[in-house]
Amino acid sequence: EVQLVQSGAEVKKPGESLKISCKGLGYKFTSYWIGWVRQMPGKGLEWMGIIYPGDSDTTYSPSFEGQVTISADKSTSTAFLQWSSLKASDTAMYYCAKHSARLPDYWGQGTLVTVSS
Amino acid sequence: DIQMTQSPSSLSASVGDRVTITCRASQGINNYLAWFQQKPGKAPKSLIYAASSLQSGVPSKFSGRGSGTDFTLTINSLQPEDFATYYCQQYNSYPLTFGGGTKVEIK
């Protein structure tokens, strides 16, 4: 059974760094893209970017390029989304999703990130 | 970027109704159109891909149609578990983009 298991909720202060994770289970992790999607409180879905764990090829949405870093560790079948300096506007739910040929087919349960002073 | 416009943004319907949601792309997307359902506090669930193909396990009450730039999602015989927010997404080209969502509420 394919599963994407995300790390737990985080509460951070503005300016702090953060790295959240998404572990792929039940499939060959290195053969499928994993993307990240943001959902701000009460708002819609925004596609942030995607990585191919096999070779770490990464594409970002222009809206998020330079704001976050997407990476992956093949040895642990885990993808990551990280910030070097959080802002209050980064408060959101973040979902990872396994993609098959650019199509999201399986989703993680989400990680809630709260940034507040 | 390809812009995806959904309409309506919300609708009220009764149990047993049939509803149709529309999604329009700002340029042709070669039928690389997916639909997702999201319930409050839950992750999105994949319903349809390639504009009209049902994901495994999705009931046939859901159907998708369209080509080029104009697409629809129809839900037949609405049941209480179908009240949710629905999103379209184009996956023709990066960056992938979602529609703004359609909230289906109980009348």
Side-chain angles (χ1 to χ4, degrees):
Chain A
E1 178 195 8
V2 173
Q3 289 186 70
L4 296 177
V5 180
Q6 297 187 231
S7 50
E10 301 274 1
V11 179
K12 292 289 191 179
K13 295 186 184 329
E16 291 186 331
S17 62
L18 176 64
K19 192 173 189 178
I20 62 175
S21 66
C22 169
K23 186 175 180 65
L25 300 168
Y27 70 99
K28 189 175 181 182
F29 181 74
T30 52
S31 296
Y32 294 89
W33 296 78
I34 286 194
W36 289 92
V37 173
R38 182 176 78 174
Q39 188 167 40
M40 300 177 77
K43 301 299 184 183
L45 304 173
E46 300 173 272
W47 188 83
M48 302 175 72
I50 198 166
I51 187 165
Y52 188 72
D55 61 6
S56 292
D57 185 18
T58 308
T59 298
Y60 293 92
S61 166
S63 299
F64 292 93
E65 180 104 51
Q67 308 304 307
V68 296
T69 301
I70 295 171
S71 60
D73 181 343
K74 289 189 286 189
S75 68
T76 59
S77 298
T78 304
F80 302 96
L81 178 66
Q82 69 180 87
W83 296 259
S84 59
S85 181
L86 286 160
K87 302 184 284 286
S89 58
D90 293 316
T91 294
M93 182 71 81
Y94 294 88
Y95 295 101
C96 63
K98 170 183 166 290
H99 287 57
S100 295
R102 296 197 303 269
L103 171 69
D105 50 10
Y106 290 91
W107 295 72
Q109 83 276 19
T111 296
L112 180 63
V113 173
T114 303
V115 184
S116 174
S117 55
Chain B
D1 299 5
I2 298 174
Q3 308 303 316
M4 304 300 293
T5 304
Q6 268 183 255
S7 60
S9 57
S10 66
L11 65 90
S12 295
S14 301
V15 171
D17 283 353
R18 178 170 67 182
V19 300
T20 297
I21 299 167
T22 297
C23 180
R24 175 167 289 173
S26 60
Q27 62 191 75
I29 57 172
N30 297 310
N31 291 359
Y32 290 119
L33 190 282
W35 290 97
F36 302 92
Q37 176 194 65
Q38 188 180 34
K39 297 181 179 179
K42 298 294 187 181
K45 173 187 174 183
S46 302
L47 296 178
I48 286 173
Y49 64 98
S52 60
S53 298
L54 286 181
Q55 287 281 4
S56 175
V58 174
S60 59
K61 63 189 304 181
F62 294 95
S63 62
R65 296 188 63 180
S67 63
T69 61
D70 294 317
F71 302 88
T72 59
L73 171 71
T74 297
I75 312 169
N76 287 306
S77 187
L78 268 175
Q79 296 302 304
E81 62 268 22
D82 301 326
F83 291 92
T85 300
Y86 294 84
Y87 294 92
C88 62
Q89 185 204 39
Q90 67 81 17
Y91 57 102
N92 180 70
S93 60
Y94 291 137
L96 309 189
T97 45
F98 291 93
T102 297
K103 187 173 184 180
V104 178
E105 298 176 297
I106 299 175
K107 184 182 287 184

